[in-house]
Amino acid sequence: MLKGKNITGRLIAVMYCLVMFELLVRAPEGQVAHHPMWYYSMIPLGAVVIYTIFDKFIKFDFFKEDER
């Protein structure tokens, strides 16, 4: 599997991406969501920040059994 990679950080980053996408796409019925283009760049940037925090600073992985 992914040796040395933090699976918890990746899972939380993917969940962040899905939630942010849903929030940004949501608009009232019959209307288009009007957001500046930099709003959509927050999805990958936020995922990178979350993954980096879990991989470099927290270093806790819920899915690895040898660290428990």
Side-chain angles (χ1 to χ4, degrees):
M1 206 157 134
L2 301 170
K3 294 206 180 255
K5 298 297 181 183
N6 195 322
I7 299 170
T8 304
R10 286 185 183 212
L11 181 65
I12 292 175
V14 168
M15 289 185 334
Y16 167 81
C17 289
L18 294 174
V19 169
M20 284 300 294
F21 179 75
E22 179 64 31
L23 290 175
L24 288 174
V25 172
R26 184 176 298 163
E29 188 68 33
Q31 295 181 5
V32 179
H34 295 286
H35 298 295
M37 289 304 292
W38 64 271
Y39 274 28
Y40 298 100
S41 67
M42 296 308 291
I43 295 173
L45 290 176
V48 168
V49 168
I50 289 171
Y51 181 68
T52 303
I53 288 172
F54 268 88
D55 198 36
K56 304 291 183 192
F57 300 113
I58 296 176
K59 295 183 181 178
F60 174 76
D61 197 354
F62 183 73
F63 295 101
K64 287 190 180 177
E65 295 179 7
D66 57 346
E67 293 179 1
R68 290 186 188 169

